[in-house]
Amino acid sequence: MSKKLISFLLVLIALGHFRAQDKAEKALEVFSEKYPQEKIHLVFNKKNYIAGENLWFKSFVFDGYELSPVSTSLFVELYDSNKIQISKKIFPLVNGQGNGNIMLPESMKEGIYYVRAYTTWMANFNEDFQTLRPIIVYNPSSPQKLVPDDHEKWTASAYPESGTFIDGINTKFAVRLQSKGLTPSDWSGYVVDAEKPDVKITSFKGFDQNVGAFSLTPKTGKKYRLIVNDTKGNQQTLDLPSVSDSGIHLQVTSTNEAVKFSLQSKNIAPGTVYKVIAMMSNQLVFKVKSVKILEQSYSIPTNQLINGILQLTVFDEKENVLAQRLCFVQPDQLKIKKPALQSLSLNEAPRASNSFTIGQSPDDEGYSVLVLDGNSESSEDENSLLSTLWLTGDIRSKIYTPAQYFTPNHNSEALDALLLTETWKRFDWKTIMAGTYPTISYQPQPYISYKGKVSIQGKPAPNTAMNLLFNMPDKGIKLYQVKTDANGFFSLRGLIFEDAIKFSYQLNDPKIPKEQVQVIFQPDYAFIPFKGSLPSSNYILADRAAEDQPTAEVKRYMVTKSTQSSINEKATLIEEVKLIKSAKDKTRELNEKLSGPLFQGANETVFDFVNDNNNSAQGFQNVLQWLQGRVAGLTLEMDMGNYIPKLRGSTVSIYLDEMRIDPSQVSTISTSDIAMIKVIKDYFAGGFGGGGGGAIAIYTRRGGITGSVSNSTVPSKLKQITLNGFDKETPFVSPVYGNDNFNSISQDLRTTLYWNPNLQAQPKEPSTVQFFNNDEAKSYKVIIMGFDSKNYTPVYYNESIK
C-alpha cells in the first residue's frame, strides 16, 4: 500500500486517544515500510488442459492492495504431483503485470500439476504465500485417470470469536470444514451439554463447503460438545473450549458504513488500560487506548477505507496480545470498476465474426481479456482476481472456491465466519515487537541482471574500460562502454530482452592482446528451490480400464488440440502477428529501429517526430522544455543556465543517439533534426549503474550512426558472449474465418475464442475486441481484468453474453 494511501488512513487514528507511539505501533511501522508483502494472481486461458497443449497465463503482482512496484521479474515453475520440476521460466513484470506461457509436454501423464509463481522478494518470507495453482492435465493414453476424491474424510474445527469463551458472554462460533478431498456441500451441526447429550442447545446449517456459524452463551462448569453431520451419514463430535470465568472478549460487526466493535469482560479489575489496534495490509488505520475502553462501543468509519481484510488486536498494559479478530471491510459494497461493453455485434452462427468495444476510461492502463465458449469453465470460477486480492493472497489455508465470496450474489455472513477461523500470518506481534524481522536474503533485481568479471592473464583487471559491441539487424553495430571496479567486476542491470543476445567485447587499451583478456558473466538472479509440500487436491488417480472412453470434455480437448495445430500451421508469420493483435505500428517500428538492446525500457514513453505531428516542439529553444508537462513526473531545474531534468525528484541522464551528453548540449539540437525522444522511467542497462533513475534518450534523423562501429566485420574478429534473457511467449493464434488459409479447418470446438493479456486502453476511443465463433457456441463468457491504480480499485467483468 502506497504512502499516499497511508496518509488518509491515518486520519482515523484521531478517533482514539493517540499519544506517543508504543512498541506495537513502532514495530508495525518498521514492518510496513521495510517489508512490503507481494502476492500474485494468475489467470489461465482456460481451466483444464490436455498433454501437448500450451498453457497461457496473465499475472498480477500486488503489494497489499495495489499493483507492486517492487519486483520486475516473475519466476514460474511447473511441478508434477511428486514435486518433480517439469519446467521453469522467467518473465518480465511491467507495473506489476506480466504474461507468458508454459508448454505442457506431450509425454505428461494424466494428473494434477502445480504452477508455482513467485518473485525473488517473496522468497524472503513464508513460502506459503507464494502462488501454487493446481491444474488438471488430461492424457487419454495414460494408464491412470483422474476421478474426484469424494471418499476422503473431512474434519471439523470450532473457533470462538476472538479466541475467548467466557462465562455469561454470548459468543459467536465459526465451524470450519477441511479435507484432503472434497468437503460436503450439505452439512449441519448442533451443540449439546455433555451431561445432556440428547438436548440440543442450538443448531445451524453450513453456509457452504467451507464454513458455518452459531452463537452460544456459556456457563462456568458446563462442558459443551459440537456434533457435525453430512447427508451421507458421516459425523464428527468435538469438545468446545473450556469456559473461562474471567477475561476479555472482542465482538465485531462489519457493515457498509462502519466496523463496530466492543470489549465484553468478566471479573476484570477496574482501572486497567487496554489498547485496540486496527490494521489493513500491515498498516495502522485505527487506535484506541483508554481505561474506559470496556465501558463503550467503538465504530471505525469505512467511507475512507478500501475493501480488504481488517485485523483488530487487543493489547493489555504490557502489550501482550489478549484477543484478535479478522473481518472484511464493506462486505456488501465491493468497490469494483466494471468495464462497459458497447457496440456488441454478436452472431451465434458457426465461425461467425463477433465483436464488442470496451468503453473509454482514462484511468485504465490496459485490460486482460478472455472470451470463452459460454459453456466452458474458467480458472476465475474458482479463484478470481478479486479473491486473490482480498482474501487468498493473505490467507493461505485451503478454501473451497474462494471466488464465491466476491460474486454479485455472495454471502457476506459466510465470509465473516470464514475470517473468524483465520489469524493474520504475515507477521507475529510478539516477534516483531521483540525487534526480530525477516532476514532479507534476496533483493529484487531490476529485470535481467548479470555480473561480469574482467581478467587479464588470469588476474583481475581493476578500473578498466571495456567496449561492448552489439551487431543489431537493421541498426548496424551499437557500441557501449563499461568500466570495472577496483576488483575487476562490473554489472549489467535492467536488461530487457527475450531468448538470447550475443555481443562482442574488447578492452579500450589496444596494447593488450585479446587472447590475454577473459570476461566471465554470471546471472545476478536465481530460481529459488521449492522447500514446502504441495497442497492436496480434490482428485485421485484410478486405473484406466481398457474399455474406458474419454469424457466429452476430454474428447473436445483432443479435437481442439488437433485443430489448434492446424491453425498454427496455416497461419503465416504476418497473419500470426495480425491475429494476436500485435501488429507493429510506425512508432514502434521506429523505436525498434533506433534503440539498441541496452536502451530498451519496460516503462518508457516514446515521442515520434517522424510519423506524429509534434510541430509544437519547434517553438521551443530547448526540447526539454517541450517535454515538461508531457511526461508524468518530469520536472526541470535551472542550474548555471542549463535545464536539468528530473524524474520523481531524481536527476536523469541525457543521451544523444545513445551517447551520454551534458545538459548544456541539448540546446544545440534543432528539433527539425530529431527523429524520436524516449523517456525511460525505470532501470535500463545503458545506464551501467546509473540507470536506476531512468533517462532521456534523443535520437536524430541519422540515429544509429553516432556511436556505431562502421566496420561490420569487427565483432567477428572479437570474442563473443551469449547471455540468456526472459523466456519468449509463444503467440496465441486464433483463426480468421473468411481467410482462405483457415476455411479448410474441418472441426472447431475451441473453448478459448479470444485471449489478449495486454489489450491497451485507448485514451480517446474505446478498445475493440474481435473474435470468431467455434462450431457450437450460443453464448460467450467474457472476462475483463485490470487495475485502476489511482483509486486502488480492481477492474473486473465476468459475465455471459448472448
Side-chain angles (χ1 to χ4, degrees):
M1 202 181 299
S2 71
K3 293 182 179 179
K4 179 179 179 182
L5 187 56
I6 295 173
S7 64
F8 70 73
L9 291 180
L10 289 182
V11 173
L12 298 179
I13 294 177
L15 296 174
H17 304 280
F18 181 69
R19 299 174 186 171
Q21 277 193 324
D22 296 322
K23 189 181 294 184
E25 293 89 319
K26 291 178 181 179
L28 185 61
E29 182 179 2
V30 171
F31 191 85
S32 174
E33 289 293 323
K34 295 186 177 181
Y35 304 96
Q37 306 288 287
E38 289 186 318
K39 52 191 175 187
I40 298 171
H41 178 69
L42 295 179
V43 58
F44 304 130
N45 64 302
K46 59 179 186 175
K47 186 175 181 180
N48 303 324
Y49 296 86
I50 192 169
E53 282 191 304
N54 257 306
L55 177 154
W56 280 274
F57 68 86
K58 172 63 184 267
S59 62
F60 294 86
V61 182
F62 295 99
D63 169 14
Y65 296 118
E66 69 172 329
L67 289 172
S68 175
V70 178
S71 297
T72 56
S73 296
L74 180 72
F75 296 83
V76 181
E77 300 167 356
L78 179 65
Y79 292 86
D80 69 10
S81 57
N82 295 317
K83 201 183 168 185
I84 296 175
Q85 188 180 90
I86 298 171
S87 174
K88 62 178 182 179
K89 295 192 173 187
I90 179 173
F91 299 96
L93 292 170
V94 181
N95 297 326
Q97 300 185 48
N99 51 275
N101 74 284
I102 301 173
M103 182 64 191
L104 305 176
E106 195 82 40
S107 60
M108 291 178 74
K109 294 181 179 180
E110 184 163 319
I112 300 295
Y113 293 80
Y114 295 86
V115 178
R116 178 194 182 202
Y118 61 96
T119 66
T120 52
W121 180 253
M122 291 172 68
N124 293 305
F125 306 95
N126 191 321
E127 198 176 51
D128 291 343
F129 290 100
Q130 296 175 15
T131 295
L132 268 175
R133 292 288 297 275
I135 60 168
I136 292 176
V137 178
Y138 294 110
N139 189 338
S141 64
S142 289
Q144 293 182 307
K145 62 180 180 180
L146 284 171
V147 294
D149 183 7
D150 55 2
H151 299 293
E152 190 73 38
K153 292 183 178 180
W154 50 264
T155 60
S157 302
Y159 299 84
E161 184 174 22
S162 79
T164 56
F165 195 35
I166 303 170
D167 175 55
I169 298 178
N170 185 264
T171 302
K172 180 179 179 180
F173 272 82
V175 180
R176 184 78 174 270
L177 297 190
Q178 294 283 6
S179 173
K180 291 183 178 180
L182 292 170
T183 51
S185 56
D186 190 359
W187 61 284
S188 59
Y190 59 92
V191 178
V192 299
D193 183 335
E195 296 179 353
K196 299 178 181 179
D198 296 328
V199 180
K200 297 180 180 179
I201 299 174
T202 185
S203 301
F204 68 96
K205 184 174 176 59
F207 293 124
D208 50 44
Q209 288 181 254
N210 296 309
V211 71
F214 66 89
S215 293
L216 180 66
T217 303
K219 294 182 179 179
T220 303
K222 295 285 186 179
K223 292 184 178 181
Y224 298 94
R225 284 181 182 158
L226 171 67
I227 294 89
V228 182
N229 302 279
D230 66 17
T231 55
K232 294 182 178 180
N234 299 308
Q235 185 180 94
Q236 183 181 353
T237 301
L238 60 152
D239 292 331
L240 295 185
S242 299
V243 181
S244 175
D245 59 2
S246 65
I248 287 181
H249 178 69
L250 172 65
Q251 293 183 339
V252 179
T253 303
S254 181
T255 67
N256 291 335
E257 292 74 32
V259 174
K260 301 177 181 179
F261 71 91
S262 62
L263 296 183
Q264 309 295 319
S265 64
K266 182 70 177 290
N267 295 329
I268 296 298
T272 305
V273 177
Y274 293 98
K275 174 173 65 177
V276 176
I277 283 179
M279 51 148 266
M280 289 188 72
S281 189
N282 300 333
Q283 299 188 47
L284 186 65
V285 298
F286 179 90
K287 169 185 170 179
V288 58
K289 184 176 182 181
S290 172
V291 295
K292 299 182 179 181
I293 197 170
L294 302 178
E295 301 174 8
Q296 56 185 320
S297 298
Y298 294 87
S299 182
I300 305 174
T302 57
N303 59 334
Q304 292 192 81
L305 294 177
I306 58 176
N307 293 126
I309 296 174
L310 182 77
Q311 177 190 7
L312 293 101
T313 307
V314 182
F315 298 88
D316 64 15
E317 289 180 305
K318 296 181 180 179
E319 296 204 75
N320 297 309
V321 175
L322 301 181
Q324 297 186 72
R325 172 76 149 91
L326 301 183
C327 67
F328 194 84
V329 174
Q330 295 186 314
D332 291 318
Q333 192 170 309
L334 301 179
K335 299 182 177 72
I336 302 170
K337 191 172 183 180
K338 185 177 179 180
L341 268 58
Q342 302 171 346
S343 304
L344 269 71
S345 177
L346 302 179
N347 187 342
E348 64 182 30
R351 309 190 184 190
S353 175
N354 295 267
S355 64
F356 59 84
T357 61
I358 304 175
Q360 175 186 351
S361 178
D363 296 328
D364 300 329
E365 296 181 357
Y367 308 102
S368 297
V369 183
L370 171 62
V371 180
L372 299 167
D373 182 319
N375 293 322
S376 302
E377 294 181 317
S378 164
S379 63
E380 286 293 291
D381 297 338
E382 186 169 333
N383 195 5
S384 67
L385 172 71
L386 305 179
S387 60
T388 297
L389 176 64
W390 289 331
L391 182 62
T392 57
D394 296 304
I395 303 297
R396 302 312 300 167
S397 60
K398 183 179 179 181
I399 301 174
Y400 180 84
T401 316
Q404 66 180 303
Y405 297 109
F406 305 102
T407 59
N409 58 345
H410 67 274
N411 185 341
S412 58
E413 190 176 357
L415 175 59
D416 186 68
L418 182 75
L419 289 176
L420 195 152
T421 70
E422 297 283 353
T423 56
W424 190 255
K425 295 180 180 178
R426 286 290 190 178
F427 66 82
D428 175 74
W429 278 113
K430 185 177 181 179
T431 301
I432 66 171
M433 284 193 292
T436 303
Y437 295 97
T439 300
I440 301 303
S441 303
Y442 306 98
Q443 292 293 339
Q445 296 293 335
Y447 300 103
I448 295 289
S449 298
Y450 279 88
K451 293 179 180 178
K453 182 178 182 180
V454 179
S455 299
I456 300 175
Q457 292 184 320
K459 297 180 180 180
N463 306 313
T464 301
M466 183 176 69
N467 295 323
L468 304 180
L469 295 92
F470 296 82
N471 193 356
M472 306 299 297
D474 303 324
K475 300 180 185 180
I477 302 170
K478 294 282 187 175
L479 182 149
Y480 305 97
Q481 189 176 90
V482 298
K483 190 173 183 179
T484 63
D485 62 16
N487 297 310
F489 290 96
F490 67 95
S491 62
L492 294 176
R493 307 183 73 203
L495 292 167
I496 305 173
F497 65 97
E498 293 179 329
D499 287 341
I501 190 170
K502 293 183 178 180
F503 61 91
S504 306
Y505 63 87
Q506 66 176 8
L507 296 189
N508 269 8
D509 190 345
K511 299 178 182 178
I512 302 175
K514 66 178 183 180
E515 292 79 11
Q516 298 180 3
V517 180
Q518 183 183 30
V519 180
I520 299 175
F521 283 89
Q522 65 180 31
D524 202 9
Y525 64 92
F527 287 84
I528 312 298
F530 179 40
K531 300 177 182 178
S533 301
L534 294 171
S536 60
S537 77
N538 299 330
Y539 292 84
I540 57 174
L541 286 169
D543 291 338
R544 192 189 302 273
E547 63 274 13
D548 283 351
Q549 295 295 315
T551 64
E553 180 187 20
V554 175
K555 287 181 179 178
R556 180 168 191 158
Y557 286 162
M558 294 169 65
V559 172
T560 299
K561 177 183 171 183
S562 176
T563 301
Q564 192 65 51
S565 178
S566 178
I567 291 171
N568 293 341
E569 289 175 0
K570 294 175 183 298
T572 64
L573 179 61
I574 295 176
E575 289 166 341
E576 178 177 299
V577 173
K578 181 179 179 182
L579 285 171
I580 63 172
K581 303 297 183 184
S582 63
K584 297 178 182 178
D585 55 30
K586 293 182 178 180
T587 298
R588 188 180 303 176
E589 289 179 351
L590 182 67
N591 186 16
E592 293 188 358
K593 181 179 180 181
L594 297 181
S595 300
L598 303 189
F599 278 75
Q600 305 285 336
N603 190 2
E604 60 184 20
T605 303
V606 177
F607 297 95
D608 184 347
F609 283 69
V610 175
N611 303 297
D612 294 343
N613 182 13
N614 285 313
N615 293 331
S616 60
Q618 296 181 6
F620 292 84
Q621 293 183 349
N622 190 313
V623 75
L624 296 178
Q625 294 175 280
W626 178 81
L627 281 177
Q628 190 176 27
R630 289 176 167 82
V631 179
L634 178 66
T635 58
L636 298 179
E637 293 184 5
M638 185 66 71
D639 182 25
M640 302 293 290
N642 298 314
Y643 289 106
I644 308 298
K646 292 192 173 185
L647 275 172
R648 296 185 285 265
S650 299
T651 302
V652 296
S653 301
I654 305 173
Y655 297 82
L656 179 64
D657 293 328
E658 301 189 352
M659 300 294 288
R660 190 166 180 174
I661 63 172
D662 189 84
S664 62
Q665 296 177 256
V666 177
S667 60
T668 66
I669 304 171
S670 171
T671 54
S672 61
D673 292 333
I674 296 176
M676 181 181 75
I677 299 177
K678 179 158 60 173
V679 181
I680 305 174
K681 298 182 180 180
D682 213 332
Y683 278 95
F684 73 106
F688 292 113
I696 296 176
I698 303 171
Y699 296 84
T700 66
R701 291 183 183 265
R702 58 187 179 278
I705 298 174
T706 303
S708 296
V709 178
S710 59
N711 185 355
S712 62
T713 65
V714 170
S716 64
K717 298 178 181 180
L718 305 175
K719 291 186 177 181
Q720 282 197 333
I721 291 287
T722 299
L723 299 181
N724 294 318
F726 289 109
D727 286 280
K728 188 174 183 179
E729 181 180 9
T730 300
F732 183 88
V733 183
S734 299
V736 178
Y737 290 116
N739 184 301
D740 292 339
N741 284 349
F742 301 101
N743 291 340
S744 61
I745 293 174
S746 60
Q747 192 175 14
D748 186 351
L749 298 179
R750 292 170 299 129
T751 56
T752 304
L753 305 178
Y754 181 90
W755 168 261
N756 189 341
N758 294 304
L759 179 65
Q760 295 301 309
Q762 304 300 318
K764 297 182 181 179
E765 59 186 34
S767 302
T768 301
V769 172
Q770 182 182 20
F771 62 94
F772 288 84
N773 196 10
N774 59 23
D775 290 341
E776 296 182 344
K778 303 300 180 183
S779 63
Y780 310 104
K781 181 181 290 186
V782 177
I783 300 174
I784 303 172
M785 293 176 290
F787 195 81
D788 181 353
S789 298
K790 293 183 179 179
N791 298 299
Y792 308 98
T793 305
V795 177
Y796 200 73
Y797 182 102
N798 187 348
E799 294 185 9
S800 292
I801 59 175
K802 295 184 178 181

